[in-house]
Amino acid sequence: MLPIFPIILAVLITTSNATENLTVVMALSEPYLMLKDYDGQLSSEYEGFSVDLLKELEQELGVSMTIKVVDIYGVYQESLQKWTGMVGEVADGSADMAIADLTVTEVRDKAIDFSIPFMTGGITILSKKPIYYGMNISFLDPFLTEVWLIIAVSYLILGIVYIVLKIIKKKKEKSEENKISVISLPILKITTIIFTIFLACFYSANLSNVLASRPVADERPIWSVDDLATQNTIKYGAVKGGSTMAFFKESDMDVYQRLWSFMDTNSDSNMNSNKEGIEKVRNENGKYAFLMESRSAEYVTERKCDLETVGGLLNEFHYAIGLPLNSEYRKPVNQAILKFKSSGIMKKLEKKWWKQKRGGGACIDWIPQGCFEQLNLANIAGVFWMLLTGFIMIVLAIGLEVCLANLGA
């Protein structure tokens, strides 16, 4: 008969040394959880902000975590008296944690516990960037103001030099010493002609871009939520059944109730996902605006250069990690998040997934469609260098003519 005590001791030691494995639920949402992209081919592996945060928590808590992907964040079903999605998985104990852009709401807080927020955001308006309108003085737009000033000064100097040379020539003609200005005047004329031709080429080339920049008829940009609520030409919507739509439905403010009334009546303006809403904004050419969470909108506008957010934040909410009620991991997770914030890890992850990865920073030097870039001094500096060379040649010619005149005398 085997001794019982050594066997029990061995089991206890093995159990204590084993790393606990936690199930973490997530939902596919850029840039929180995405399938890895290998040269355009999507794999079955995951990456994103939530995945990196999970790895940091694994190291900090000394546990291993397994990702479980669900379709939705969680809706409370009155008929079944239960939650669906991520919230439901955590509430019934099927998952130990939920790491995603999961907003902390009053109703969710009754079903699960939340960590301290790791990120804040709000609802904003996503719209297409307006096409720039032409002006009555658009013929001046090919060059910057400073370039026009330098051109005006250049022609003023050319005119003064021409007048001076003509006066000198007339004086010398009277004294029958017409050698002076014979060479310098043609040089001045040739320099002026070449200078003018080059300027005309630059001007006409960029003027075509100015003339091509035409406003869209009857376009009315939206600058705030009040503009959106008081007009009837631009449709708008949000994700069906999402927290954004719930905010407008539950709000007591008049302007938000008007927005909710429109979205409730025009159900075809509401989308099944953020991706659908973003594509509709791009395809409708200024005739549709999408209400969405600001952090997701920031990710989009970093990569879709024809889109922008307007009106600021309509509210403020927090993203936090969801845990079962009275979870033993709530305090360690809170401490870990505080450490990540103070050490800069959280900011580093945000910069990585919002500004750098997956095409981040694509819109830094982007010029809007229908817009044009004015030529600055650096673009046409060669023309002015040529003009300066002409002036130097004129001065040298005058000096040579004076010397020849003196020698002849």
PDB file of all heavy atoms in Angstrom, residues 373-394:
ATOM      1  N   GLU A 373      -2.104  72.980 -53.590  1.00  0.00           N
ATOM      2  CA  GLU A 373      -0.992  73.452 -52.772  1.00  0.00           C
ATOM      3  C   GLU A 373      -0.399  74.689 -53.414  1.00  0.00           C
ATOM      4  O   GLU A 373       0.041  74.656 -54.571  1.00  0.00           O
ATOM      5  CB  GLU A 373       0.073  72.361 -52.648  1.00  0.00           C
ATOM      6  CG  GLU A 373       1.199  72.750 -51.713  1.00  0.00           C
ATOM      7  CD  GLU A 373       2.206  71.627 -51.528  1.00  0.00           C
ATOM      8  OE1 GLU A 373       2.091  70.618 -52.241  1.00  0.00           O
ATOM      9  OE2 GLU A 373       3.113  71.769 -50.680  1.00  0.00           O
ATOM     10  N   GLN A 374      -0.374  75.809 -52.687  1.00  0.00           N
ATOM     11  CA  GLN A 374       0.197  77.038 -53.217  1.00  0.00           C
ATOM     12  C   GLN A 374       1.713  76.905 -53.302  1.00  0.00           C
ATOM     13  O   GLN A 374       2.355  76.282 -52.460  1.00  0.00           O
ATOM     14  CB  GLN A 374      -0.175  78.214 -52.320  1.00  0.00           C
ATOM     15  CG  GLN A 374      -1.653  78.581 -52.374  1.00  0.00           C
ATOM     16  CD  GLN A 374      -1.966  79.732 -51.446  1.00  0.00           C
ATOM     17  OE1 GLN A 374      -1.752  79.642 -50.237  1.00  0.00           O
ATOM     18  NE2 GLN A 374      -2.481  80.819 -51.993  1.00  0.00           N
ATOM     19  N   LEU A 375       2.266  77.501 -54.357  1.00  0.00           N
ATOM     20  CA  LEU A 375       3.721  77.475 -54.520  1.00  0.00           C
ATOM     21  C   LEU A 375       4.353  78.478 -53.568  1.00  0.00           C
ATOM     22  O   LEU A 375       3.924  79.629 -53.479  1.00  0.00           O
ATOM     23  CB  LEU A 375       4.084  77.817 -55.966  1.00  0.00           C
ATOM     24  CG  LEU A 375       3.612  76.816 -57.038  1.00  0.00           C
ATOM     25  CD1 LEU A 375       4.035  77.288 -58.417  1.00  0.00           C
ATOM     26  CD2 LEU A 375       4.167  75.434 -56.764  1.00  0.00           C
ATOM     27  N   ASN A 376       5.384  78.045 -52.867  1.00  0.00           N
ATOM     28  CA  ASN A 376       6.097  78.952 -51.975  1.00  0.00           C
ATOM     29  C   ASN A 376       7.414  79.375 -52.619  1.00  0.00           C
ATOM     30  O   ASN A 376       7.741  78.973 -53.746  1.00  0.00           O
ATOM     31  CB  ASN A 376       6.329  78.307 -50.606  1.00  0.00           C
ATOM     32  CG  ASN A 376       7.054  76.973 -50.717  1.00  0.00           C
ATOM     33  OD1 ASN A 376       7.932  76.806 -51.549  1.00  0.00           O
ATOM     34  ND2 ASN A 376       6.668  76.017 -49.882  1.00  0.00           N
ATOM     35  N   LEU A 377       8.170  80.170 -51.895  1.00  0.00           N
ATOM     36  CA  LEU A 377       9.414  80.713 -52.443  1.00  0.00           C
ATOM     37  C   LEU A 377      10.413  79.608 -52.787  1.00  0.00           C
ATOM     38  O   LEU A 377      11.133  79.700 -53.787  1.00  0.00           O
ATOM     39  CB  LEU A 377      10.030  81.696 -51.451  1.00  0.00           C
ATOM     40  CG  LEU A 377      11.285  82.457 -51.922  1.00  0.00           C
ATOM     41  CD1 LEU A 377      10.968  83.251 -53.185  1.00  0.00           C
ATOM     42  CD2 LEU A 377      11.795  83.388 -50.817  1.00  0.00           C
ATOM     43  N   ALA A 378      10.433  78.562 -51.972  1.00  0.00           N
ATOM     44  CA  ALA A 378      11.372  77.467 -52.225  1.00  0.00           C
ATOM     45  C   ALA A 378      11.075  76.754 -53.548  1.00  0.00           C
ATOM     46  O   ALA A 378      11.975  76.249 -54.219  1.00  0.00           O
ATOM     47  CB  ALA A 378      11.322  76.463 -51.072  1.00  0.00           C
ATOM     48  N   ASN A 379       9.780  76.725 -53.944  1.00  0.00           N
ATOM     49  CA  ASN A 379       9.392  76.038 -55.178  1.00  0.00           C
ATOM     50  C   ASN A 379       9.901  76.750 -56.427  1.00  0.00           C
ATOM     51  O   ASN A 379      10.156  76.107 -57.453  1.00  0.00           O
ATOM     52  CB  ASN A 379       7.878  75.899 -55.262  1.00  0.00           C
ATOM     53  CG  ASN A 379       7.302  75.059 -54.136  1.00  0.00           C
ATOM     54  OD1 ASN A 379       6.300  75.417 -53.531  1.00  0.00           O
ATOM     55  ND2 ASN A 379       7.935  73.938 -53.826  1.00  0.00           N
ATOM     56  N   ILE A 380      10.005  78.081 -56.367  1.00  0.00           N
ATOM     57  CA  ILE A 380      10.417  78.835 -57.562  1.00  0.00           C
ATOM     58  C   ILE A 380      11.687  79.653 -57.292  1.00  0.00           C
ATOM     59  O   ILE A 380      11.930  80.675 -57.947  1.00  0.00           O
ATOM     60  CB  ILE A 380       9.282  79.765 -58.035  1.00  0.00           C
ATOM     61  CG1 ILE A 380       8.857  80.736 -56.925  1.00  0.00           C
ATOM     62  CG2 ILE A 380       8.092  78.947 -58.516  1.00  0.00           C
ATOM     63  CD1 ILE A 380       7.843  81.760 -57.389  1.00  0.00           C
ATOM     64  N   ALA A 381      12.488  79.197 -56.351  1.00  0.00           N
ATOM     65  CA  ALA A 381      13.714  79.927 -55.998  1.00  0.00           C
ATOM     66  C   ALA A 381      14.656  80.045 -57.190  1.00  0.00           C
ATOM     67  O   ALA A 381      15.372  81.043 -57.343  1.00  0.00           O
ATOM     68  CB  ALA A 381      14.418  79.231 -54.835  1.00  0.00           C
ATOM     69  N   GLY A 382      14.660  79.039 -58.062  1.00  0.00           N
ATOM     70  CA  GLY A 382      15.552  79.061 -59.226  1.00  0.00           C
ATOM     71  C   GLY A 382      15.307  80.260 -60.129  1.00  0.00           C
ATOM     72  O   GLY A 382      16.258  80.814 -60.723  1.00  0.00           O
ATOM     73  N   VAL A 383      14.041  80.693 -60.257  1.00  0.00           N
ATOM     74  CA  VAL A 383      13.718  81.844 -61.101  1.00  0.00           C
ATOM     75  C   VAL A 383      14.362  83.109 -60.550  1.00  0.00           C
ATOM     76  O   VAL A 383      14.918  83.928 -61.296  1.00  0.00           O
ATOM     77  CB  VAL A 383      12.188  82.016 -61.193  1.00  0.00           C
ATOM     78  CG1 VAL A 383      11.836  83.234 -62.032  1.00  0.00           C
ATOM     79  CG2 VAL A 383      11.554  80.781 -61.783  1.00  0.00           C
ATOM     80  N   PHE A 384      14.335  83.269 -59.239  1.00  0.00           N
ATOM     81  CA  PHE A 384      14.919  84.458 -58.628  1.00  0.00           C
ATOM     82  C   PHE A 384      16.446  84.416 -58.637  1.00  0.00           C
ATOM     83  O   PHE A 384      17.105  85.459 -58.718  1.00  0.00           O
ATOM     84  CB  PHE A 384      14.371  84.624 -57.208  1.00  0.00           C
ATOM     85  CG  PHE A 384      12.920  84.978 -57.166  1.00  0.00           C
ATOM     86  CD1 PHE A 384      11.946  84.012 -56.942  1.00  0.00           C
ATOM     87  CD2 PHE A 384      12.495  86.279 -57.394  1.00  0.00           C
ATOM     88  CE1 PHE A 384      10.611  84.321 -56.922  1.00  0.00           C
ATOM     89  CE2 PHE A 384      11.150  86.612 -57.370  1.00  0.00           C
ATOM     90  CZ  PHE A 384      10.202  85.632 -57.141  1.00  0.00           C
ATOM     91  N   TRP A 385      16.994  83.210 -58.557  1.00  0.00           N
ATOM     92  CA  TRP A 385      18.446  83.101 -58.715  1.00  0.00           C
ATOM     93  C   TRP A 385      18.861  83.521 -60.132  1.00  0.00           C
ATOM     94  O   TRP A 385      19.889  84.159 -60.336  1.00  0.00           O
ATOM     95  CB  TRP A 385      18.911  81.676 -58.432  1.00  0.00           C
ATOM     96  CG  TRP A 385      19.005  81.344 -56.975  1.00  0.00           C
ATOM     97  CD1 TRP A 385      18.235  80.487 -56.274  1.00  0.00           C
ATOM     98  CD2 TRP A 385      19.949  81.888 -56.036  1.00  0.00           C
ATOM     99  NE1 TRP A 385      18.606  80.452 -54.942  1.00  0.00           N
ATOM    100  CE2 TRP A 385      19.669  81.302 -54.771  1.00  0.00           C
ATOM    101  CE3 TRP A 385      20.976  82.824 -56.126  1.00  0.00           C
ATOM    102  CZ2 TRP A 385      20.392  81.615 -53.632  1.00  0.00           C
ATOM    103  CZ3 TRP A 385      21.713  83.130 -54.989  1.00  0.00           C
ATOM    104  CH2 TRP A 385      21.407  82.527 -53.755  1.00  0.00           C
ATOM    105  N   MET A 386      18.059  83.146 -61.114  1.00  0.00           N
ATOM    106  CA  MET A 386      18.322  83.556 -62.490  1.00  0.00           C
ATOM    107  C   MET A 386      18.238  85.079 -62.622  1.00  0.00           C
ATOM    108  O   MET A 386      19.068  85.711 -63.297  1.00  0.00           O
ATOM    109  CB  MET A 386      17.305  82.870 -63.409  1.00  0.00           C
ATOM    110  CG  MET A 386      17.469  83.173 -64.898  1.00  0.00           C
ATOM    111  SD  MET A 386      16.640  84.684 -65.425  1.00  0.00           S
ATOM    112  CE  MET A 386      14.943  84.295 -65.071  1.00  0.00           C
ATOM    113  N   LEU A 387      17.240  85.683 -61.955  1.00  0.00           N
ATOM    114  CA  LEU A 387      17.091  87.136 -61.988  1.00  0.00           C
ATOM    115  C   LEU A 387      18.296  87.819 -61.344  1.00  0.00           C
ATOM    116  O   LEU A 387      18.815  88.822 -61.871  1.00  0.00           O
ATOM    117  CB  LEU A 387      15.808  87.532 -61.263  1.00  0.00           C
ATOM    118  CG  LEU A 387      15.462  89.029 -61.248  1.00  0.00           C
ATOM    119  CD1 LEU A 387      15.237  89.541 -62.667  1.00  0.00           C
ATOM    120  CD2 LEU A 387      14.224  89.276 -60.393  1.00  0.00           C
ATOM    121  N   LEU A 388      18.750  87.272 -60.225  1.00  0.00           N
ATOM    122  CA  LEU A 388      19.927  87.832 -59.557  1.00  0.00           C
ATOM    123  C   LEU A 388      21.157  87.727 -60.450  1.00  0.00           C
ATOM    124  O   LEU A 388      21.977  88.672 -60.522  1.00  0.00           O
ATOM    125  CB  LEU A 388      20.167  87.089 -58.229  1.00  0.00           C
ATOM    126  CG  LEU A 388      21.374  87.547 -57.394  1.00  0.00           C
ATOM    127  CD1 LEU A 388      21.224  89.022 -56.995  1.00  0.00           C
ATOM    128  CD2 LEU A 388      21.533  86.672 -56.152  1.00  0.00           C
ATOM    129  N   THR A 389      21.289  86.605 -61.147  1.00  0.00           N
ATOM    130  CA  THR A 389      22.409  86.438 -62.074  1.00  0.00           C
ATOM    131  C   THR A 389      22.353  87.494 -63.170  1.00  0.00           C
ATOM    132  O   THR A 389      23.382  88.060 -63.575  1.00  0.00           O
ATOM    133  CB  THR A 389      22.377  85.031 -62.699  1.00  0.00           C
ATOM    134  OG1 THR A 389      22.407  84.060 -61.660  1.00  0.00           O
ATOM    135  CG2 THR A 389      23.559  84.820 -63.630  1.00  0.00           C
ATOM    136  N   GLY A 390      21.126  87.787 -63.662  1.00  0.00           N
ATOM    137  CA  GLY A 390      20.969  88.825 -64.682  1.00  0.00           C
ATOM    138  C   GLY A 390      21.395  90.185 -64.176  1.00  0.00           C
ATOM    139  O   GLY A 390      22.067  90.953 -64.888  1.00  0.00           O
ATOM    140  N   PHE A 391      21.032  90.528 -62.922  1.00  0.00           N
ATOM    141  CA  PHE A 391      21.436  91.806 -62.333  1.00  0.00           C
ATOM    142  C   PHE A 391      22.964  91.904 -62.227  1.00  0.00           C
ATOM    143  O   PHE A 391      23.553  92.960 -62.508  1.00  0.00           O
ATOM    144  CB  PHE A 391      20.806  91.977 -60.953  1.00  0.00           C
ATOM    145  CG  PHE A 391      19.371  92.411 -60.986  1.00  0.00           C
ATOM    146  CD1 PHE A 391      18.424  91.815 -60.179  1.00  0.00           C
ATOM    147  CD2 PHE A 391      18.961  93.442 -61.825  1.00  0.00           C
ATOM    148  CE1 PHE A 391      17.092  92.210 -60.217  1.00  0.00           C
ATOM    149  CE2 PHE A 391      17.635  93.846 -61.866  1.00  0.00           C
ATOM    150  CZ  PHE A 391      16.694  93.234 -61.062  1.00  0.00           C
ATOM    151  N   ILE A 392      23.582  90.808 -61.811  1.00  0.00           N
ATOM    152  CA  ILE A 392      25.048  90.794 -61.690  1.00  0.00           C
ATOM    153  C   ILE A 392      25.691  91.026 -63.056  1.00  0.00           C
ATOM    154  O   ILE A 392      26.668  91.786 -63.193  1.00  0.00           O
ATOM    155  CB  ILE A 392      25.521  89.457 -61.078  1.00  0.00           C
ATOM    156  CG1 ILE A 392      25.031  89.355 -59.622  1.00  0.00           C
ATOM    157  CG2 ILE A 392      27.041  89.339 -61.136  1.00  0.00           C
ATOM    158  CD1 ILE A 392      25.293  88.006 -58.982  1.00  0.00           C
ATOM    159  N   MET A 393      25.132  90.385 -64.095  1.00  0.00           N
ATOM    160  CA  MET A 393      25.668  90.562 -65.444  1.00  0.00           C
ATOM    161  C   MET A 393      25.502  91.994 -65.919  1.00  0.00           C
ATOM    162  O   MET A 393      26.379  92.551 -66.599  1.00  0.00           O
ATOM    163  CB  MET A 393      24.971  89.600 -66.404  1.00  0.00           C
ATOM    164  CG  MET A 393      25.315  88.135 -66.175  1.00  0.00           C
ATOM    165  SD  MET A 393      24.423  87.032 -67.288  1.00  0.00           S
ATOM    166  CE  MET A 393      25.090  87.553 -68.868  1.00  0.00           C
ATOM    167  N   ILE A 394      24.358  92.612 -65.544  1.00  0.00           N
ATOM    168  CA  ILE A 394      24.145  94.009 -65.927  1.00  0.00           C
ATOM    169  C   ILE A 394      25.163  94.916 -65.263  1.00  0.00           C
ATOM    170  O   ILE A 394      25.738  95.815 -65.890  1.00  0.00           O
ATOM    171  CB  ILE A 394      22.707  94.448 -65.550  1.00  0.00           C
ATOM    172  CG1 ILE A 394      21.692  93.713 -66.439  1.00  0.00           C
ATOM    173  CG2 ILE A 394      22.540  95.956 -65.683  1.00  0.00           C
ATOM    174  CD1 ILE A 394      20.262  93.876 -65.977  1.00  0.00           C
TER     175      ILE A 394
END
